[in-house]
Amino acid sequence: MDRLSSMAAFVKAVEMGSFSAAGDAMQMSAQLIGKHVHHLEQHLGVRLLNRTTRRQSLTDFGREFYERCKTILAEVETAENMAAETQATPTGRLRVNAPVSFGMQSLAPKLPEFMKANPMISVELTLANRAVDVIDEGFDVVFRVGQLSDSGLVARPLAPYQLVLCAAPSYLRDKPAIKTPWDLQDHECLGFTHTELRTHWTFDGPEGKVIVPINSRLMADHGEPLLCAALAGLGILLQPVELVRKALLAGDLVPLLPTYPIPSRPLHVLYPPDRRLTPKLRSFLDFALMTFGPDAVNPQLF
């Protein structure tokens, strides 16, 4: 006999008080309930129930085994419900957080595709460059750029975040030549306040990593104001490719130091470990991995 079925019959017999009542509840005969219980007792080598013609009672071992069986059957039911959920239609509200430039330039243009494919899901998108508290602030899923702290969140890696160094031709026209990263110390650099980009910029040089302190007359906590300043010829910009791609293609900005590439930054999508993978969350994670994952087809940088 199937052991789980026998456990279920045993638990029902205990809860209903008799084999006949358990049989009625499970739509089987009292004799079959008795066979299931007898099968368990034979398998375990110990009596579970003391039975007379008028009443039944649990043995000491049977009482403990009954509690364990209830736990096992509840876990099995939970696992089966999770399997059923994966086949259900994704519904409900999904709260998403992302860094501003990534959210505006990469996520927002693709989000309508997700929503059209999942018409029963509503999305509340919040953009912020600070590290939000996912659990306390009630987010279902967040995107984060940079090295992860030990937050306890479940992280799925996406394609690395690419940065580019560039400036407007009008800025470069009358300024000293920029041949190495160290030349940046003689220039106005546009600082990003939320990361190490505020105080120093890092490059991969022919002889290894190069870290250069920068000076900034203008700093901002969003990339878009820095882009406006760069286009106006106020300084040199180090920002994500997504933010500056159009300006680079139009020639309004030109890339600098091509022989000193900027190290890419990790990009992850994260969710709390206690969140069940409901259909709405699973569908969004699948969308994020397909759209921004390591194997996603990304356009040319510029």
Side-chain angles (χ1 to χ4, degrees):
M1 286 183 165
D2 175 64
R3 197 174 305 167
L4 282 176
S5 298
S6 295
M7 287 181 178
F10 167 65
V11 167
K12 188 61 70 174
V14 172
E15 292 174 345
M16 302 300 294
S18 70
F19 288 176
S20 59
D24 290 341
M26 299 185 70
Q27 297 185 335
M28 60 177 69
S29 67
Q31 291 78 11
L32 185 53
I33 295 289
K35 286 182 179 180
H36 276 296
V37 174
H38 182 62
H39 169 73
L40 280 178
E41 291 178 329
Q42 282 190 320
H43 173 74
L44 296 169
V46 64
R47 183 175 290 279
L48 299 173
L49 290 170
N50 292 314
R51 298 182 294 277
T52 68
T53 56
R54 294 189 175 184
R55 62 187 296 271
Q56 67 180 33
S57 62
L58 285 166
T59 65
D60 289 343
F61 178 83
R63 189 172 294 104
E64 183 177 348
F65 188 70
Y66 164 71
E67 296 296 334
R68 296 292 179 90
C69 285
K70 285 201 303 182
T71 300
I72 291 170
L73 294 171
E75 289 294 331
V76 170
E77 183 179 5
T78 298
E80 290 176 343
N81 288 339
M82 289 175 60
E85 282 182 350
T86 63
Q87 302 176 29
T89 301
T91 60
R93 186 179 69 155
L94 198 68
R95 297 196 68 221
V96 182
N97 175 266
V100 176
S101 291
F102 173 80
M104 292 182 66
Q105 305 297 327
S106 297
L107 179 57
K110 295 292 185 180
L111 193 57
E113 297 177 14
F114 170 77
M115 300 194 70
K116 287 178 181 177
N118 298 275
M120 301 300 291
I121 294 179
S122 59
V123 175
E124 181 181 331
L125 176 62
T126 301
L127 303 182
N129 287 326
R130 65 181 177 88
V132 299
D133 190 312
V134 179
I135 296 175
D136 285 351
E137 297 183 50
F139 288 104
D140 296 294
V141 60
V142 300
F143 293 87
R144 282 191 181 161
V145 178
Q147 296 295 333
L148 295 177
S149 61
D150 186 15
S151 63
L153 301 174
V154 181
R156 302 281 185 89
L158 303 176
Y161 208 46
Q162 302 291 334
L163 303 176
V164 61
L165 185 75
C166 55
S170 61
Y171 171 83
L172 297 170
R173 191 172 297 124
D174 301 320
K175 299 295 189 298
I178 303 174
K179 297 181 180 179
T180 74
W182 294 107
D183 294 330
L184 294 172
Q185 293 186 299
D186 298 324
H187 287 265
E188 289 290 343
C189 298
L190 301 169
F192 187 65
T193 58
H194 272 294
T195 68
E196 71 279 0
L197 299 181
R198 175 190 181 100
T199 58
H200 60 273
W201 291 351
T202 303
F203 302 84
D204 286 329
E207 299 179 359
K209 199 172 293 295
V210 179
I211 302 176
V212 179
I214 61 165
N215 298 307
S216 302
R217 284 182 58 220
L218 173 64
M219 289 190 289
D221 61 355
H222 288 52
E224 285 69 15
L226 300 179
L227 173 60
C228 292
L231 291 170
L234 291 185
I236 297 174
L237 184 68
L238 179 59
Q239 282 291 300
V241 170
E242 289 83 358
L243 179 64
V244 299
R245 180 181 283 115
K246 290 182 180 178
L248 290 168
L249 291 173
D252 297 326
L253 296 176
V254 295
L256 304 173
L257 297 177
T259 58
Y260 290 86
I262 295 94
S264 60
R265 307 185 71 201
L267 174 64
H268 293 85
V269 60
L270 305 96
Y271 62 95
D274 58 348
R275 288 282 199 278
R276 290 176 62 183
L277 278 181
T278 58
K280 67 177 181 180
L281 179 56
R282 185 184 297 276
S283 64
F284 189 84
L285 292 173
D286 289 344
F287 155 77
L289 290 168
M290 182 177 298
T291 308
F292 308 111
D295 299 325
V297 178
N298 294 312
Q300 294 293 321
L301 296 185
F302 48 84

